[in-house]
Amino acid sequence: MDKYFKKYLFLFAVGVASLLTFHFSTDARHLNQILPKSNQYVKSFHNWDEQPSKITTTLSDSNLQVALFLQAETGHAPWVAVQINLWDYFDKHLNWMFVDTLFIDIESDDVSELQVKILTFDPDLSNPKEYSTYKVLSKEIPLQKGRQKIGIRLEDFYIPEWWFAQKDKEKKFTSKHWEKVGYLELSTTEEAKTHQDLSYTIHNISVQETQKTHLKILLSILFILALIAIGLIPSKK
């Protein structure tokens, strides 16, 4: 009995050590640039055909320049957007399971707020050939005058109520599917000024990815512990 007690005590100590390693280990982080180098992956559009607002985009020297004019319409909020097709640019859906922050290096003197949308592929709902079927994850960001680098944690993105209503879906479809990111959009909000020329420039867009090295270490230790535990079980004779 004393022999097994010592083995279980050792097993417990190793387990505690693995949990401490998991808690205190430092994540390795690096930035991935995702702003395309070509205009073919950038699309602009507005929401109404009558008395439409205007938006133009120019990608030059790795900077995405956006010029817009919002035409106020009776009963409708004017709205324009820029869409970046990440799926086509990278020739695959991006896996952001280990991404914790989206960074946008942006400059503007007259746009006070933008809505950032990430569109993900939901295998139960989405058609890979139709971006309108993708799930929308949204977050509003306030802008200050001048140039600034804004960091948005992915956990702050939410599925808007209008998406459930528009798709006529129950709220059980709440999985964000960060493993299949297809598009990134920036659109104006109700805070935008109307009947005047507005502009902003995106100097860079990147994501910060966390390498879960400590998680890999923990899983390896747990695997070893499982083998030890199996070895401690007395065999039946």
Side-chain angles (χ1 to χ4, degrees), residues 86-105:
L86 299 173
W87 184 28
D88 277 354
Y89 180 55
F90 290 96
D91 199 28
K92 64 179 180 179
H93 286 120
L94 300 184
N95 186 349
W96 285 6
M97 290 291 291
F98 291 149
V99 168
D100 53 43
T101 308
L102 170 70
F103 289 103
I104 302 177
D105 186 350

Side-chain angles (χ1 to χ4, degrees), residues 24-44:
F24 290 107
S25 59
T26 302
D27 295 333
R29 302 174 187 271
H30 66 273
L31 292 176
N32 295 324
Q33 313 299 323
I34 61 173
L35 183 63
K37 305 297 183 183
S38 172
N39 252 326
Q40 71 181 95
Y41 304 107
V42 180
K43 178 182 178 181
S44 60

Side-chain angles (χ1 to χ4, degrees), residues 21-206:
T21 300
F22 176 81
H23 181 73
F24 290 107
S25 59
T26 302
D27 295 333
R29 302 174 187 271
H30 66 273
L31 292 176
N32 295 324
Q33 313 299 323
I34 61 173
L35 183 63
K37 305 297 183 183
S38 172
N39 252 326
Q40 71 181 95
Y41 304 107
V42 180
K43 178 182 178 181
S44 60
F45 47 89
H46 52 81
N47 58 340
W48 303 106
D49 292 330
E50 297 181 4
Q51 296 181 330
S53 300
K54 299 177 182 179
I55 180 170
T56 59
T57 61
T58 305
L59 190 57
S60 177
D61 297 327
S62 299
N63 294 321
L64 178 59
Q65 300 172 349
V66 182
L68 55 104
F69 182 91
L70 294 176
Q71 179 73 44
E73 304 168 23
T74 304
H76 300 298
W79 170 87
V80 295
V82 174
Q83 182 188 88
I84 299 174
N85 190 333
L86 299 173
W87 184 28
D88 277 354
Y89 180 55
F90 290 96
D91 199 28
K92 64 179 180 179
H93 286 120
L94 300 184
N95 186 349
W96 285 6
M97 290 291 291
F98 291 149
V99 168
D100 53 43
T101 308
L102 170 70
F103 289 103
I104 302 177
D105 186 350
I106 189 170
E107 183 175 3
S108 180
D109 290 328
D110 42 37
V111 177
S112 60
E113 184 180 68
L114 286 175
Q115 185 176 47
V116 181
K117 300 174 188 174
I118 299 173
L119 279 62
T120 63
F121 180 85
D122 187 325
D124 295 323
L125 305 172
S126 304
N127 181 337
K129 296 182 180 180
E130 298 181 17
Y131 82 88
S132 61
T133 64
Y134 279 55
K135 180 164 288 180
V136 175
L137 311 176
S138 180
K139 180 70 174 101
E140 295 75 24
I141 56 169
L143 301 181
Q144 300 175 351
K145 287 187 176 182
R147 183 171 178 175
Q148 59 191 302
K149 185 176 183 180
I150 300 175
I152 315 168
R153 294 190 62 81
L154 260 60
E155 62 186 21
D156 293 335
F157 282 88
Y158 62 92
I159 305 173
E161 293 289 337
W162 60 260
W163 184 87
F164 291 103
Q166 187 182 77
K167 304 301 180 183
D168 193 24
K169 298 298 180 183
E170 301 177 12
K171 291 190 176 180
K172 65 181 181 180
F173 294 97
T174 56
S175 177
K176 295 180 179 180
H177 290 286
W178 288 118
E179 76 280 4
K180 288 186 176 294
V181 174
Y183 302 86
L184 176 68
E185 290 185 4
L186 294 100
S187 60
T188 56
T189 69
E190 294 181 354
E191 300 296 322
K193 303 173 183 177
T194 59
H195 300 290
Q196 71 178 75
D197 293 323
L198 306 174
S199 66
Y200 62 88
T201 300
I202 299 175
H203 297 284
N204 190 26
I205 302 178
S206 60

